[in-house]
């Protein structure tokens, strides 16, 4: 269109040629436009698409409960692992410190010492059933202790006794 | 198919069919709307895809407070305006004139099929700010009613008329300077 043509026009509104779309689309672009856009949102995968727009009731509930379920599962796994470790190391079968019957039986069988004095007395080897209670002088006890225990062991025994 | 029928399809649970009809009915129109805003085919194609992804995701929230076609145009227009604003910002940082960028692109674009006057018109439109440009494109090329443009852009009819008048005069002035 020549410049003189436009000079005769009052304004751009009066020129229908100007309102014509001057752009072209690449060949085949518009023909495949629908298909490309539809595939872009995965319209061919019907079920997924439908659920993406309107999730089913079950899906919605699952979405709400999902964090709580995950948390519960995590606790379950941790508990299971902890229980497994305890079972493997047999910790559960051991009595607790307050299990009196167990300790009573152990004491009865002479497998553990009740206290420092007991341990000393036992190691001095006397028969409390038949013999009269022996009398030890202080020097004998001290020298015996020095020969049997290190100072650290004595300190530990003293601490346990307290 | 009427827009109300498409919405009816969607409400009845036929979401894919409804969306397919939307794409078939409005895909090309929205492409040309975006293309006239951004000029470059590749940019227009990207923005059109973004537009339809947004349409697909926002379709469940469509409340029929507005017409389907004004809602679609609103999404496409917003995408284009945001794109042009970013482009303008980038050009500002690199000390370039975004209007000149578009103008020189159109001149060398093998997909531009206009004559010299149309090229000058496109160069003039490229100088308009993004919102004014969208008002001008919708009114001048697509002859959309002011009431609908108002719905698309969320601007009062009075403000739109003033904006169009302003854009129109700028374009006219530009062409005069070019000797037309």
């Amino acid at each position: 269109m020549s410049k003189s043509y436009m000079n005769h026009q009052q304004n751009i509104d009066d020129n229908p040629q100007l309102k014509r779309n001057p752009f072209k689309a690449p060949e085949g672009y518009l023909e495949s436009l629908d298909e490309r856009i539809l595939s872009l949102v995965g319209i061919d995968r019907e079920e997924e698409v439908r659920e993406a727009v309107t999730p089913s009731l079950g899906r919605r509930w699952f979405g709400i409960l999902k964090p709580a379920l995950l948390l519960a599962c995590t606790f379950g796994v941790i508990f299971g692992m902890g229980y497994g470790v305890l079972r493997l190391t047999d910790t559960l079968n051991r009595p607790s410190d307050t299990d009196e019957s167990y300790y009573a039986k152990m004491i009865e069988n002479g497998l553990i010492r009740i206290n420092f004095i007991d341990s000393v007395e036992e190691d001095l080897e006397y028969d409390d059933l038949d013999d009269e209670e022996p009398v030890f002088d202080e020097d004998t006890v001290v020298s015996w202790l020095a020969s049997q225990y290190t100072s650290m062991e004595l300190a530990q025994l003293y601490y346990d006794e307290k | 198919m009427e827009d109300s029928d498409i919405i009816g399809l969607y409400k009845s649970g036929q979401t894919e069919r409804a969306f397919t009809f939307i794409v078939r009915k409005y895909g090309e129109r929205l492409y040309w709307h975006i293309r006239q805003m951004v000029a470059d085919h590749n940019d227009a194609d990207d923005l059109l895809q973004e537009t339809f992804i947004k349409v697909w995701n926002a379709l469940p929230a469509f409340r029929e407070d507005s017409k389907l076609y004004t809602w679609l145009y609103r999404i496409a227009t917003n995408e284009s305006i945001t794109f042009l604003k970013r482009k303008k910002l980038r050009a500002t940082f690199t000390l370039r004139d975004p209007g000149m960028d578009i103008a020189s692109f159109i001149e060398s674009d093998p997909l531009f099929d206009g004559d010299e006057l149309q090229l000058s018109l496109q160069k003039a439109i490229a100088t308009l700010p993004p919102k004014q440009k969208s008002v001008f494109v919708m009114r001048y090329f697509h002859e959309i009613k002011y009431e609908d443009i108002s719905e698309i852009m969320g601007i009062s009819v009075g403000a739109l008329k003033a904006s169009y008048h302003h854009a129109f005069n700028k374009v006219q002035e530009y062409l005069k300077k070019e000797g037309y």
Side-chain angles (χ1 to χ4, degrees):
Chain A
M1 180 162 298
S2 67
K3 292 190 178 186
S4 58
Y5 174 81
M6 188 61 190
N7 286 334
H8 294 295
Q9 305 298 311
Q10 285 192 333
N11 60 42
I12 57 172
D13 247 355
D14 298 328
N15 187 346
Q17 175 67 13
L18 275 179
K19 294 198 175 191
R20 189 183 69 83
N21 178 15
F23 296 103
K24 282 190 305 185
E27 211 175 311
Y29 172 78
L30 293 172
E31 288 73 18
S32 62
L33 186 63
D34 301 355
E35 196 184 325
R36 282 188 304 105
I37 291 170
L38 293 174
S39 66
L40 192 70
V41 296
I43 208 92
D44 47 330
R45 286 174 290 166
E46 281 189 21
E47 202 53 42
E48 283 179 32
V49 168
R50 185 173 286 119
E51 288 198 358
V53 178
T54 50
S56 66
L57 189 66
R59 278 245 171 190
R60 267 181 281 162
W61 272 109
F62 181 72
I64 293 164
L65 294 174
K66 198 175 173 184
L69 287 171
L70 282 173
L71 195 63
C73 286
T74 307
F75 275 117
V77 168
I78 291 169
F79 178 79
M81 286 171 70
Y83 184 77
V85 168
L86 290 175
R87 288 285 292 180
L88 282 172
T89 56
D90 207 25
T91 309
L92 287 179
N93 290 333
R94 290 182 187 175
S96 67
D97 287 345
T98 55
D99 193 336
E100 289 176 8
S101 62
Y102 172 82
Y103 280 104
K105 196 173 277 182
M106 293 289 277
I107 290 163
E108 206 174 281
N109 294 332
L111 296 173
I112 56 168
R113 297 161 179 169
I114 297 169
N115 55 34
F116 173 56
I117 299 300
D118 287 343
S119 69
V120 171
E121 285 181 347
E122 279 171 23
D123 285 343
L124 286 173
E125 293 179 356
Y126 77 96
D127 187 355
D128 59 347
L129 291 174
D130 299 323
D131 299 341
E132 279 184 20
E133 190 172 336
V135 178
F136 301 108
D137 67 82
E138 193 178 319
D139 288 337
T140 308
V141 171
V142 168
S143 58
W144 181 84
L145 283 172
S147 67
Q148 296 293 316
Y149 298 96
T150 65
S151 53
M152 282 299 289
E153 287 170 328
L154 284 169
Q156 183 63 46
L157 288 166
Y158 178 69
Y159 176 79
D160 291 340
E161 180 63 19
K162 281 190 81 177
Chain B
M1 181 177 266
E2 294 296 315
D3 286 357
S4 55
D5 297 329
I6 296 174
I7 296 301
L9 268 180
Y10 182 78
K11 281 182 172 174
S12 68
Q14 298 182 62
T15 51
E16 295 154 38
R17 281 195 73 201
F19 187 74
T20 304
F21 279 116
I22 289 172
V23 172
R24 281 182 189 158
K25 186 172 179 182
Y26 290 104
E28 197 173 328
R29 281 165 72 174
L30 290 179
Y31 167 75
W32 289 122
H33 170 59
I34 295 168
R35 179 79 188 273
Q36 283 182 316
M37 288 280 290
V38 301
D40 183 359
H41 162 74
N42 291 320
D43 291 338
D45 185 42
D46 287 346
L47 291 170
L48 185 71
Q49 289 182 26
E50 288 295 320
T51 297
F52 274 110
I53 287 170
K54 286 195 173 171
V55 168
W56 174 249
N57 291 329
L59 208 49
F62 180 65
R63 294 273 175 267
E64 291 185 83
D65 296 334
S66 56
K67 295 171 200 156
L68 180 64
Y69 107 87
T70 57
W71 183 69
L72 294 169
Y73 264 81
R74 189 189 310 158
I75 295 171
T77 305
N78 286 341
E79 284 293 309
S80 306
I81 288 173
T82 305
F83 172 83
L84 290 171
K85 280 181 178 174
R86 280 185 192 152
K87 197 168 186 173
K88 193 176 177 182
L89 200 66
R90 276 199 297 272
T92 308
F93 280 123
T94 51
L95 304 172
R96 293 197 322 267
D97 181 352
M100 287 304 292
D101 276 0
I102 295 175
S104 56
F105 169 80
I106 295 170
E107 269 181 315
S108 58
D109 185 8
L111 294 173
F112 183 77
D113 192 29
D115 55 26
E116 278 183 35
L117 181 58
Q118 284 173 310
L119 178 62
S120 291
L121 176 66
Q122 289 302 322
K123 284 180 178 177
I125 293 168
T127 64
L128 299 175
K131 275 193 177 178
Q132 215 173 66
K133 188 181 196 173
S134 61
V135 174
F136 186 83
V137 165
M138 281 189 275
R139 184 69 194 145
Y140 186 77
F141 290 108
H142 300 284
E143 297 182 334
I144 297 173
K145 287 185 286 182
Y146 279 117
E147 287 73 17
D148 290 344
I149 300 174
S150 168
E151 215 172 273
I152 291 164
M153 300 201 64
I155 301 172
S156 71
V157 171
L160 277 177
K161 283 181 179 175
S163 179
Y164 180 71
H165 181 71
H166 203 54
F168 189 91
N169 284 342
K170 273 191 199 174
V171 170
Q172 191 94 331
E173 278 300 309
Y174 185 96
L175 290 175
K176 269 185 190 171
K177 277 184 193 169
E178 289 276 301
Y180 290 104

